[in-house]
């Protein structure tokens, strides 16, 4: 015998403001709001949660970028002797840098594809679990093409950036230092 909200569907062509005034005269004790105002006032909780998720995403991206940089530094540093050999046979610093950068790009692209696959699987698992738990068809996790494109682009940019920094650090050293023969 008590409800919090009710919705009224108006016929096409009926002015929502005049319908609200007419209903307001007959519906004593009720507050009448247009859908835009109601959605705006009731979505503040979702806005806070959305901002919280954005903050977590930013922190996660920054932490993963640092982790990626560390991995690329270790990977490229493990190739010191290979780079030294390339430099000994006359390959320019620029060519070695570009080769290392291309390798970083391939690694970033493969990692991005794997990450998107894991995200799709996780999203499907979350939806299946909660849809069954709550006996609903609501979507709890939504992976959009825009999100996929942004994640792929961000992963590629971060991977190339980390690869460029690691490669630059390595190619600026003299070949004998890379080989481990000079101080």
């Amino acid at each position: 015998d008590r409800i919090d909200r009710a919705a009224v569907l108006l016929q096409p062509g009926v002015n929502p403001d005049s319908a609200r005034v007419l209903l307001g005269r007959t519906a004593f004790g009720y507050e009448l709001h247009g859908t835009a105002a109601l959605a705006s006032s009731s979505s503040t909780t979702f806005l806070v949660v959305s901002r919280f998720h954005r903050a977590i995403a930013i922190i996660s991206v920054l932490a993963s970028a640092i982790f990626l940089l560390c991995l690329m530094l270790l990977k490229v540093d493990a190739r010191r002797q290979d780079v030294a050999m390339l430099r000994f046979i006359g390959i320019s610093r620029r060519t070695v840098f570009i080769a290392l950068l291309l390798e970083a790009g391939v690694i970033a692209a493969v990692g991005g594809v794997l990450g998107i696959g894991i995200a799709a699987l996780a999203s499907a698992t979350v939806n299946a679990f909660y849809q069954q738990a709550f006996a609903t068809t609501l979507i709890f996790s939504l992976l959009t093409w825009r999100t996929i494109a942004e994640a792929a682009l961000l992963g590629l940019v971060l991977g190339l950036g980390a690869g460029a920094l690691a490669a630059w650090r390595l190619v600026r050293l003299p070949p004998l230092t890379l080989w481990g023969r000079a101080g």
Side-chain angles (χ1 to χ4, degrees), residues 37-182:
L38 185 61
S40 175
S41 68
S42 65
S43 66
T44 55
T45 301
F46 296 110
L47 184 61
V48 170
V49 170
S50 177
R51 287 180 181 159
F52 181 69
H53 284 169
R54 183 177 300 274
I56 290 173
I58 290 170
I59 292 168
S60 298
V61 166
L62 290 176
S64 64
I66 292 167
F67 181 70
L68 180 63
L69 177 61
C70 291
L71 283 176
M72 290 305 289
L73 286 171
L74 288 172
K75 184 188 176 324
V76 169
D77 201 51
R79 308 245 341 253
R80 291 173 73 94
Q81 290 188 340
D82 296 339
V83 171
M85 187 58 66
L86 290 171
R87 298 285 311 286
F88 280 141
I89 62 172
I91 307 283
S92 70
R93 288 181 184 188
R94 181 174 180 235
T95 303
V96 172
F97 177 83
I98 291 171
L100 292 172
L101 189 61
L102 287 173
E103 186 176 336
V106 169
I107 291 169
V110 169
V113 169
L114 289 174
I116 290 167
I118 291 169
L121 182 63
S123 181
T125 302
V126 164
N127 283 328
F129 176 79
Y130 285 107
Q131 286 173 347
Q132 182 181 8
F134 295 113
T136 184
T137 58
L138 289 175
I139 304 294
F140 292 87
S141 173
L142 182 62
L143 186 61
T144 64
W145 287 110
R146 179 179 175 186
T147 303
I148 290 170
E150 287 175 356
L153 181 64
L154 183 62
L156 191 58
V157 167
L158 288 175
L160 287 172
L165 187 61
W168 176 78
R169 182 177 169 265
L170 195 60
V171 298
R172 65 189 181 104
L173 296 172
L176 284 175
T177 302
L178 291 171
W179 193 258
R181 300 288 185 210

